[in-house]
Amino acid sequence: QKEVEQNSGPLSVPEGAIASLNCTYSDRGSQSFFWYRQYSGKSPELIMFIYSNGDKEDGRFTAQLNKASQYVSLLIRDSQPSDSATYLCAVNNYGQNFVFGPGTRLSVLP
Amino acid sequence: GAVVSQHPSWVICKSGTSVKIECRSLDFQATTMFWYRQFPKQSLMLMATSNEGSKATYEQGVEKDKFLINHASLTLSTLTVTSAHPEDSSFYICSASPDRAKNIQYFGAGTRLSVL
């Protein structure tokens, strides 16, 4: 059974700090990796996707992928209170359905 | 781009009635749409994959006769919860992918269903 694991948190960081969110997956054939942000009572919003090993940066967000270790992470620099949300990691093999992790709840303290 | 519209955003109904939820891709064609259910403080649970012009593929444990899915066009999929009961109360979210190969899913705003 394909699994995606995340620390449920809550992860608390002070405003301005770097938040580091981690995700591991079991399916070695996974090809694409996604991070979604979900505010309470709202639907998920795509933040980033990454396909290749290494880092991918977009503004304050950096996704890091290590396929050998089956590990993907999301770094949020200069964290803001508005970043407080649940972050969902999703993994899939091309043409197959997503497998979502349980999410990590992030709390950025002013 | 990649906007997915879901309607209604909130519905309250009596037990035993049916509720239809619509999901539309506004600026792209989606051969595949997905329906999820999310209970409070839990992650997304895929209910079914909706393919345009063919029958939906349901995940194990999801009753296909209770959750009717129709994907009539490349931009519209509907989920009908038939004979709703209080235990069906949940947050239902659809998503659509403009590129099945890359499978980037964009989500609708979700529908909160409350069955009295």
Side-chain angles (χ1 to χ4, degrees):
Chain A
Q1 185 174 352
K2 300 173 184 177
E3 293 183 348
V4 176
E5 296 185 351
Q6 296 179 254
N7 190 324
S8 62
L11 171 66
S12 295
V13 301
E15 184 175 356
I18 296 175
S20 178
L21 305 165
N22 304 317
C23 172
T24 59
Y25 58 94
S26 63
D27 181 9
R28 221 170 244 291
S30 299
Q31 299 288 337
S32 50
F33 308 85
F34 305 84
W35 282 100
Y36 287 86
R37 176 175 62 197
Q38 186 175 25
Y39 292 111
S40 181
K42 303 295 184 181
S43 67
E45 171 191 10
L46 180 66
I47 297 177
M48 292 192 70
F49 56 89
I50 185 168
Y51 302 130
S52 304
N53 277 328
D55 295 358
K56 179 181 178 182
E57 187 175 318
D58 184 0
R60 296 188 296 115
F61 300 97
T62 299
Q64 299 175 318
L65 175 61
N66 184 324
K67 289 187 178 180
S69 300
Q70 296 175 240
Y71 174 95
V72 58
S73 66
L74 178 70
L75 301 178
I76 306 174
R77 289 181 298 281
D78 188 23
S79 295
Q80 302 296 309
S82 58
D83 294 326
S84 298
T86 296
Y87 289 80
L88 301 171
C89 171
V91 173
N92 93 302
N93 211 331
Y94 286 158
Q96 298 181 13
N97 294 331
F98 274 22
V99 179
F100 278 91
T104 297
R105 191 154 52 93
L106 172 66
S107 179
V108 180
L109 307 174
Chain B
V3 177
V4 177
S5 172
Q6 187 173 343
H7 178 80
S9 58
W10 194 299
V11 59
I12 301 173
C13 69
K14 292 182 179 179
S15 185
T17 61
S18 295
V19 173
K20 180 185 282 188
I21 303 170
E22 289 190 352
C23 181
R24 294 179 184 272
S25 56
L26 298 185
D27 52 1
F28 65 95
Q29 293 185 333
T31 54
T32 304
M33 292 185 174
F34 305 85
W35 288 96
Y36 294 85
R37 181 168 53 183
Q38 187 176 36
F39 292 106
K41 300 191 186 302
Q42 295 186 21
S43 191
L44 299 171
M45 185 191 80
L46 179 66
M47 299 175 67
T49 303
S50 168
N51 298 295
E52 186 266 337
S54 64
K55 292 183 179 180
T57 303
Y58 290 82
E59 294 298 297
Q60 191 173 4
V62 178
E63 300 174 58
K64 58 183 67 177
D65 293 333
K66 180 169 185 62
F67 298 100
L68 301 179
I69 292 174
N70 183 276
H71 196 148
S73 73
L74 287 172
T75 59
L76 173 64
S77 177
T78 61
L79 167 68
T80 301
V81 182
T82 63
S83 186
H85 291 284
E87 58 265 30
D88 298 324
S89 299
S90 187
F91 191 42
Y92 293 85
I93 314 173
C94 73
S95 73
S97 176
D99 184 335
R100 180 64 171 148
K102 292 183 179 178
N103 208 13
I104 299 173
Q105 291 189 25
Y106 297 94
F107 286 85
T111 297
R112 191 159 302 282
L113 171 63
S114 296
V115 184
L116 304 178

